[in-house]
Amino acid sequence: MKLPQTHADAAAEFLKDTDRSHWHDDTLWHVRSKRDASAQKIPEWEQLRTLASQIKDHVLSNLDNLLLQFEKNAQANGIEVLWAKDAQEHNEHVLRILEENQVKQLVKSKSILTEECGLNHFLEDKGYDVVDTDLGERIIQFNKQVPSHIVMPAIHLKKKEIGDIFHEHLGTEAGADDPQYLTEAARQHLRQKFIQAHAAITGVNFGIAETGGFVVCTNEGNADMGTHLADIHIACMGIEKLIPRAADLGVFLRLLARSATGQSITNYNSHFHRPRKDKKMYLILVDNGRTKQLGREDFRNSLKCIRCGACMNTCPIYRRSSGFSYNSTVPGPIGSILSPGMDLKKHSTLPFASTLCGSCSDVCPVKINIHEQLYKWRQVITKEGPSQPSKKWAMRFGGKVMSKPKLFDLMGRMARKSLSISPRGFVYNSFNAWGKHRELPEVPKESFKDWYKKNRNK
Amino acid sequence: MSSKESILAAIQKNKPDLLPLPEHPEFPVEGDLVEQYKSSIKSNGGQALEAKGPEDIRSYLDIHFQDSQMMLSLSTVVEGNFDIALAEDPHDLEHVDLAILEGEWGVAENAAIWLPEERLKHRALPFIAQHLIVLLKKDRLLGNMHEVYQLINVSDSGYGVFIAGPSKTADIEQSLVIGAHGPRSMTVFLLD
Ligand code: SF4
């Protein structure tokens, strides 16, 4: 059986284009800096993070009751609530709704959940033309790609490439790459789609248990353009997206955009409670592995994630290797603790795609201990799964040597000698993955132990 | 077992012991709310102007809009030239150039204005219009989001939205572009 591509291999491909990888790194770091500036303006920032984390702790510990309360209130509001245990059932619900209502044209706003469920492919196979309306998502849809970032889906593309994509699909002038011009072309194109759509699919940022409504946040206004013109609104929501009270939004809306891009809030924050007169609103509650993750004590609080993307923007690995290297719907640090829970084999290298510097945990608005969970996954994976054979061997050998002080001393002496006289190609070669782009420190003449013996009486 | 039952059963089996739901402390905001509001909306790509009365708004309209443009006002302070009653369906709003609305509350920390459905007539209006003007009385300005959620009941309306600026995107190389799908500008008049 062919092993899935490792994160390191995928990253190596991205890193071949040095200019692009530097540019990617700088762009995301800029977003991270904006987040810092924005958070620092709020004196109670740390208090808000603690509150958000505690609210989500409560939600996870009371999820069954809150879901029932949410369903009851939503139904009373006239929303049809459906449950889906996995991606397949979710997609089938959507299909059934489209068929029942004889929907021909549909628009979709950003939803990572539908990405996770592979909804677009599923519907396209059934003959539907699914139009993604978030500008970044439309770009990558034209380009037959998936998002490389959960907040900025096309962050991996340069404007020149987007200009070429639009030239091909929207007939913009060849070579034109002015963002204003390209956005205007997309606006004209998507307006037609909004006007014609019968159904609009959206994600959900927050479901409110006490009122049975839900909140969708965008900057473009595309979720609203879609839902308010179409007859059918289908909202797809992961079961962990619940909050108990409307007042909790005060905490979460203050944190979300500031963490994501440094804005104080997204320009549109829409609260849906009832369908328009004679129109229909559906809400699909999706499990797809979430209840399993809830049962893993060490990893459960990854479910608190509000998908702000801050952990990606700050991650030194993500910034340099891009979202695609993770080969997972949610990339970056949070993806690396969520995805192994969904498919351990496929995603076994992701928890190793980290320096464990802890920056992700520091910026996370709901205080998920991301880097600790990465470390815990490593332990699980090393025990169970196929770690890289060369690494495994090295670890076993290392373990032996370290457990025997005499042997350790001997090996140290040998290494110091041999490293200082070895030709470069002997040390930095394809067997030493670590040595790519890295230099060993200068080899000391003596071990610390020898140095200490000589110096302790001085 | 239905999917609902199996999901609920899995949660019951896997969830941790009940943890308490924290109360919301107060986070009072100090300083000049009008000035804070103005600077917040500027960061969001919009603008806020102070107006003494209808004349100020009218003269703004005279400078920036022409009579030939379709202007729809749901405010009693200034009139438009298109009657919302003529729009039975939201698609009839496709060519609206300017929508003028009255906000219920404004939030100084982020410029968000609460607009429940009753103030929109059609939910699509503040999105489909090419430009948006919102009028807000200065005494309806609050400090932060906690305060506004104390005062509104979000489920009183079938739909309500916090709008904090014009439609914008930065999806092409992080360059900010105003006017992604919805309004190409948002101006808030703060009234005495
Ligand atoms: S884990 Fe935290 S920082 Fe990362 S996307 Fe989720 S909420 Fe944001």
Side-chain angles (χ1 to χ4, degrees):
Chain A
M1 198 189 79
K2 195 174 162 284
L3 286 175
Q5 192 185 34
T6 65
H7 175 273
D9 288 345
E13 260 166 52
F14 182 74
L15 285 165
K16 275 186 201 148
D17 188 344
T18 318
D19 284 349
R20 185 187 297 262
S21 106
H22 284 310
W23 165 77
H24 191 267
D25 181 11
D26 290 345
T27 309
L28 287 156
W29 184 251
H30 178 64
V31 181
R32 151 81 210 255
S33 317
K34 286 198 290 183
R35 172 253 169 226
D36 289 353
S38 176
Q40 280 154 12
K41 278 194 211 142
I42 309 289
E44 61 268 22
W45 184 257
E46 288 307 314
Q47 221 179 327
L48 291 175
R49 289 177 70 211
T50 304
L51 267 175
S53 177
Q54 288 170 343
I55 294 168
K56 285 283 184 181
D57 272 333
H58 170 80
V59 169
L60 295 179
S61 73
N62 195 26
L63 191 56
D64 47 344
N65 296 317
L66 289 170
L67 280 169
L68 284 170
Q69 184 191 10
F70 179 61
E71 181 192 39
K72 190 170 140 248
N73 291 330
Q75 284 168 341
N77 288 336
I79 303 174
E80 186 172 324
V81 181
L82 300 152
W83 300 68
K85 55 183 182 312
D86 54 21
Q88 179 70 21
E89 193 177 8
H90 163 267
N91 294 347
E92 277 161 10
H93 279 317
V94 175
L95 178 65
R96 192 182 46 74
I97 296 167
L98 297 179
E99 283 173 350
E100 272 177 17
N101 292 287
Q102 289 156 4
V103 171
K104 300 267 165 355
Q105 320 266 3
L106 69 152
V107 288
K108 187 164 146 278
S109 64
K110 194 151 68 195
S111 149
I112 301 147
L113 176 63
T114 60
E115 222 33 85
E116 173 189 320
C117 293
L119 179 69
N120 282 20
H121 281 298
F122 175 85
L123 290 178
E124 277 154 17
D125 282 348
K126 309 278 176 209
Y128 287 91
D129 177 21
V130 186
V131 177
D132 275 321
T133 58
D134 173 83
L135 178 61
E137 290 217 315
R138 190 63 177 154
I139 293 167
I140 55 167
Q141 192 179 35
F142 282 146
N143 210 29
K144 301 208 166 28
Q145 287 180 310
V146 291
S148 68
H149 188 288
I150 57 176
V151 176
M152 301 167 278
I155 192 77
H156 57 286
L157 291 172
K158 296 194 174 183
K159 61 184 179 187
K160 161 124 197 2
E161 295 165 299
I162 297 172
D164 292 344
I165 295 169
F166 277 21
H167 174 61
E168 184 189 337
H169 292 271
L170 299 179
T172 51
E173 276 169 53
D177 67 358
D178 173 41
Q180 180 90 41
Y181 167 76
L182 296 175
T183 303
E184 182 64 30
R187 175 187 174 101
Q188 301 300 340
H189 157 72
L190 286 167
R191 239 180 201 240
Q192 285 317 305
K193 302 288 179 189
F194 285 126
I195 298 285
Q196 292 158 1
H198 301 135
I201 299 176
T202 71
V204 169
N205 288 92
F206 305 99
I208 315 163
E210 94 183 333
T211 64
F214 57 92
V215 175
V216 181
C217 306
T218 73
N219 275 315
E220 298 182 7
N222 57 319
D224 289 276
M225 277 293 271
T227 55
H228 305 326
L229 290 167
D231 292 345
I232 314 286
H233 177 178
I234 308 172
C236 307
M237 167 178 163
I239 51 173
E240 83 285 15
K241 286 277 172 295
L242 218 51
I243 52 170
R245 309 160 292 199
D248 298 327
L249 290 166
V251 175
F252 287 104
L253 291 185
R254 294 189 78 196
L255 288 168
L256 178 60
R258 286 184 174 98
S259 300
T261 59
Q263 295 170 243
S264 52
I265 192 165
T266 42
N267 277 2
Y268 300 108
N269 306 271
S270 302
H271 299 53
F272 294 90
H273 278 87
R274 285 180 285 282
R276 279 157 33 231
K277 194 163 167 284
D278 303 325
K279 309 295 174 197
K280 288 186 193 161
M281 199 180 274
Y282 299 86
L283 191 127
I284 310 179
L285 290 166
V286 185
D287 180 347
N288 204 35
R290 286 162 176 76
T291 53
K292 272 215 191 87
Q293 190 81 334
L294 185 65
R296 298 183 181 110
E297 202 184 328
D298 286 341
F299 305 111
R300 112 175 1 128
N301 72 22
S302 59
L303 294 170
K304 293 178 181 176
C305 175
I306 56 172
R307 303 287 193 266
C308 71
C311 56
M312 291 160 208
N313 307 340
T314 200
C315 177
I317 305 287
Y318 177 92
R319 282 189 275 119
R320 287 173 183 80
S321 63
S322 105
F324 291 141
S325 63
Y326 293 80
N327 201 1
S328 132
T329 305
V330 179
I334 179 66
S336 302
I337 57 176
L338 286 172
S339 302
M342 313 268 273
D343 185 343
L344 189 57
K345 270 232 167 68
K346 179 173 172 209
H347 300 295
S348 71
T349 62
L350 295 191
F352 297 88
S354 165
T355 62
L356 300 186
C357 67
S359 184
C360 45
S361 308
D362 287 344
V363 298
C364 176
V366 288
K367 287 192 146 182
I368 301 173
N369 56 335
I370 308 171
H371 71 297
E372 289 169 10
Q373 293 191 39
L374 286 166
Y375 180 58
K376 285 192 172 141
W377 270 122
R378 290 182 184 188
Q379 291 166 319
V380 174
I381 289 160
T382 314
K383 241 182 248 154
E384 280 180 27
S387 175
Q388 254 170 290
S390 64
K391 264 194 193 161
K392 214 175 200 173
W393 180 85
M395 283 293 175
R396 221 176 272 156
F397 181 72
K400 274 250 166 64
V401 172
M402 300 232 185
S403 66
K404 300 201 170 74
K406 283 248 165 66
L407 184 60
F408 182 80
D409 284 350
L410 176 70
M411 296 299 290
R413 244 174 288 142
M414 280 167 63
R416 276 189 300 281
K417 188 79 205 164
S418 59
L419 276 175
S420 57
I421 58 171
S422 293
R424 191 174 166 83
F426 201 74
V427 181
Y428 298 93
N429 57 34
S430 58
F431 294 107
N432 178 13
W434 192 89
K436 274 191 226 165
H437 305 287
R438 289 196 193 90
E439 288 291 322
L440 280 168
E442 208 181 307
V443 185
K445 295 213 170 50
E446 55 189 354
S447 71
F448 173 73
K449 205 163 135 189
D450 293 340
W451 177 89
Y452 184 71
K453 259 192 218 157
K454 259 197 262 165
N455 287 276
R456 75 176 147 187
N457 294 327
K458 272 190 188 167
Chain B
M1 211 170 13
S2 72
S3 293
K4 174 179 167 181
E5 284 162 350
S6 71
I7 292 170
L8 291 172
I11 295 171
Q12 271 147 21
K13 191 169 132 247
N14 291 339
K15 69 177 182 177
D17 291 340
L18 187 66
L19 290 161
L21 179 59
E23 288 306 315
H24 291 284
E26 280 186 29
F27 297 107
V29 177
E30 278 154 28
D32 182 346
L33 295 186
V34 171
E35 285 312 312
Q36 285 178 33
Y37 186 90
K38 282 187 182 167
S39 113
S40 299
I41 197 166
K42 211 167 148 209
S43 320
N44 297 347
Q47 62 166 346
L49 304 169
E50 290 178 66
K52 299 235 152 33
E55 322 74 52
D56 288 353
I57 302 169
R58 263 185 231 119
S59 59
Y60 178 89
L61 292 179
D62 286 344
I63 298 169
H64 294 92
F65 294 90
Q66 281 132 33
D67 285 340
S68 58
Q69 290 182 296
M70 194 163 156
M71 291 185 259
L72 200 164
S73 174
L74 296 182
S75 165
T76 48
V77 181
V78 279
E79 279 182 2
N81 58 17
F82 178 80
D83 184 1
I84 184 94
L86 296 173
E88 272 173 41
D89 184 279
H91 292 85
D92 301 334
L93 302 170
E94 194 186 338
H95 302 292
V96 172
D97 289 300
L98 170 67
I100 304 173
L101 305 171
E102 286 186 5
E104 189 159 306
W105 295 104
V107 184
E109 70 160 330
N110 56 18
I113 291 189
W114 177 243
L115 290 158
E117 179 163 32
E118 294 68 29
R119 289 173 182 263
L120 311 174
K121 294 289 187 284
H122 285 291
R123 293 179 187 183
L125 180 59
F127 302 94
I128 203 168
Q130 298 286 336
H131 298 273
L132 180 64
I133 287 180
V134 182
L135 313 187
L136 188 81
K137 293 221 180 70
K138 281 183 188 164
D139 61 6
R140 305 294 279 187
L141 272 181
L142 302 166
N144 60 30
M145 294 303 282
H146 308 292
E147 294 172 36
V148 73
Y149 277 113
Q150 293 305 320
L151 292 167
I152 60 175
N153 186 350
V154 290
S155 61
D156 279 352
S157 304
Y159 171 81
V161 58
F162 281 108
I163 299 186
S167 167
K168 65 171 179 175
T169 181
D171 274 343
I172 301 177
E173 267 196 24
Q174 284 295 293
S175 316
L176 177 69
V177 178
I178 307 284
H181 307 283
R184 301 169 188 273
S185 76
M186 173 168 173
T187 303
V188 173
F189 282 102
L190 297 169
L191 298 160
D192 287 324

